Structure formats: structure tokens, C-alpha cells
Amino acid sequence: MGAVILDLQINPGVAPWPVLRDAAIAAEGAGYDTLWTVDHLAGDVMQAPDMPECFTLLGALAGVTSRIGLGPLVVNAHNRHPALLANSVATMQNITGGRFVLGLGAGSAPDTPFASERHAVRWPPLPTMEERHEALLATLRTMDEMWADDRHESLARFPRPVVRPRVIVGVNSVRLARLAGAHADGINVRASHPRCAEFAAAAREARTASGRAGEPEVTVWEHFDEGLVDGSDARLAAWRGLGVGRLILLVFREIDPARIARSGALLRRDG
């Protein structure tokens, strides 16, 4: 099995714009495949003072980069109307010339810490897992409808991406992994999740049952560590054995563009 592709994710609430800009430039120069950000309304769950809106930030990052992929990991499908999200995604894909990747999630339960930002603005999450999964599926179906070659004439003046972006679904259940396998391009799971292998298998089975060609992409995320960048960490072999093709390294507490730039030497040595 080939080498795992390495991406970088930043927690944009912990740094001002000039640092985020320099981090993106450094990540591109270092050779990371894709730079990811997050989609939150407030900084609480990311232990940050606040949180910039993800598509506004991604548009700005697109303007200071030219090669690296860009995407949110993950957009809460219930944070925006599906048509608005489809418009935002198509716009980002066209601005970047095909570099955009959509990370999509179903959102969290109302009684979890991740829901605090929604309660704060009197906009509680959908109450059941089934409803949250249906909202995600409705978003995928809306994008299909708005971007179709044979779309209805009433949609003819809505933006359509020059190249349809990959859609990676953040999963934490077998049911959601199956939904992603059947309707999206891949899944993302925390690398240390005890059911990671089960979720990957469920996504593959659902892809086969759906009749869609190819296998879903399996991606995992873990906190940034040089041992994962240079290939010396033993966990990499275990993840390859699960069919993981992409590792997303999260810079959570302090974004240091110089450290990101230096990691490029390790990344090139591994590749």
C-alpha cells in the first residue's frame, strides 16, 4: 500500500489573520496536500477566544495560496441552508480553480459541549441522530440537484463548480459511515477512535451496495507531531493496514508558521 498523504489542519480561533495567512503559505511551501480549517460559530469547543467564519476565511486563504487544497473539516450540515452551502462550495471551488474539498458533518447532539454555541444564539441542534443524518443527506441531494448537468431551468443561474469537489464526511457511527459510503466520496474519523476499522468497513460495504464505482476514501485526523510527518511513528503502518490513505494533522493550541515550514524537510524526506 502506498504512503499516506499528509494534510494540515489549523484551529483558526487561536491566532490572528496574519498568522493564519503565514501558516497557509508555509503549509503550501512545505508540501502538505490540503489545508483544513473548522466550522464553528464560537471558539468554545476549540478552546479559542473566538472563531472566524469558515468560508470567509477559506476565501482569504485561497487568495494567498495557489497549489494547496483547501477545505473545512467539517461543515455542520445544519449550520446553513443546503442551497446556501451549495452556493458557498461552488464559489470556493471556482475561486480556487478546483482546489476545494468539502468536509461535511451531521452536527452534534443538543446535550454535548459542541452544541453550546447553538444554544447561545437560541438555535438548538436537531434533537435526534436520525434528523441530523437526514439533514446531511438533504444537503448532499441539494448539491446534486443544483450542480447537475441536466438541472432544472429554475436553477440555471445558480453557481456550479468547475470541477465537482470531493466530499468527506466526518463520522462517529456505523450508520453515518454507511451514509457516507453510499452518497459521498469518503469518511474522516479520529485516528485513535476504537471503531475506526469498523467505520471504514461499513463505508466500503455501503459503497458496494450502492452500485457506485470505486472505494470511499478513508481519512483520519490526529494532533500534529513530527514523528507522523517524517514517517517514524509506528501508528502509520497500522493506519495503512486499515486502508487509510490520508492523515490530517491538527495544529490545535499554537500555530507556528516557522515550525510548519520546517516540517517540510521531514515531509519531503518521507515522500
Side-chain angles (χ1 to χ4, degrees):
M1 185 172 296
V4 174
I5 296 169
L6 292 185
D7 294 349
L8 197 71
Q9 182 180 21
I10 54 174
N11 175 4
V14 301
W17 161 246
V19 174
L20 302 178
R21 175 198 62 210
D22 291 351
I25 294 169
E28 181 169 78
Y32 289 97
D33 186 80
T34 300
L35 178 68
W36 302 86
T37 181
V38 303
D39 179 37
H40 285 291
L41 307 179
D44 302 48
V45 298
M46 300 300 288
Q47 299 177 27
D50 58 26
M51 187 60 61
E53 195 280 321
C54 75
F55 282 99
T56 307
L57 175 59
L58 285 163
L61 294 176
V64 298
T65 58
S66 60
R67 301 183 309 278
I68 195 168
L70 295 169
L73 194 73
V74 291
V75 164
N76 182 340
H78 193 233
N79 274 359
R80 297 165 185 80
H81 187 281
L84 174 60
L85 181 56
N87 189 312
S88 298
V89 171
T91 301
M92 274 300 306
Q93 185 70 318
N94 294 341
I95 286 173
T96 61
R99 291 188 285 139
F100 186 75
V101 187
L102 176 60
L104 189 64
S108 55
D111 59 350
T112 67
F114 292 93
S116 63
E117 60 189 34
R118 295 284 296 267
H119 291 302
V121 292
R122 297 177 294 281
W123 186 24
L126 294 169
T128 69
M129 180 183 293
E130 182 176 359
E131 288 175 292
R132 294 191 294 275
H133 290 183
E134 284 301 315
L136 186 147
L137 186 56
T139 294
L140 292 172
R141 287 172 171 161
T142 296
M143 289 190 292
D144 285 341
E145 180 181 9
M146 292 180 67
W147 300 344
D149 291 337
D150 59 348
R151 62 186 180 177
H152 190 272
E153 61 181 14
S154 64
L155 301 175
R157 295 185 182 273
F158 286 81
R160 185 161 52 191
V162 287
V163 177
R164 189 182 178 98
R166 300 190 338 268
V167 179
I168 306 299
V169 176
V171 305
N172 57 5
S173 70
V174 167
R175 187 176 188 274
L176 191 52
R178 290 187 179 280
L179 186 156
H183 299 281
D185 299 299
I187 63 171
N188 181 260
V189 190
R190 179 160 189 168
S192 60
H193 198 294
R195 301 179 69 189
C196 185
E198 184 180 359
F199 297 159
R204 293 187 185 104
E205 290 168 3
R207 172 61 62 86
T208 300
S210 73
R212 296 175 64 204
E215 287 201 353
E217 182 179 9
V218 178
T219 75
V220 296
W221 73 268
E222 187 52 271
H223 288 277
F224 182 90
D225 183 274
E226 274 85 357
L228 291 170
V229 179
D230 68 13
S232 63
D233 193 305
R235 290 176 294 175
L236 285 164
W239 295 332
R240 288 190 193 99
L242 296 178
V244 170
R246 185 179 299 266
L247 170 61
I248 300 168
L249 298 173
L250 170 63
V251 180
F252 186 77
R253 296 190 182 281
E254 181 180 356
I255 299 172
D256 181 354
R259 185 187 185 195
I260 293 170
R262 288 193 301 271
S263 72
L266 304 175
L267 185 66
R268 284 188 289 271
R269 203 158 48 233
D270 182 45

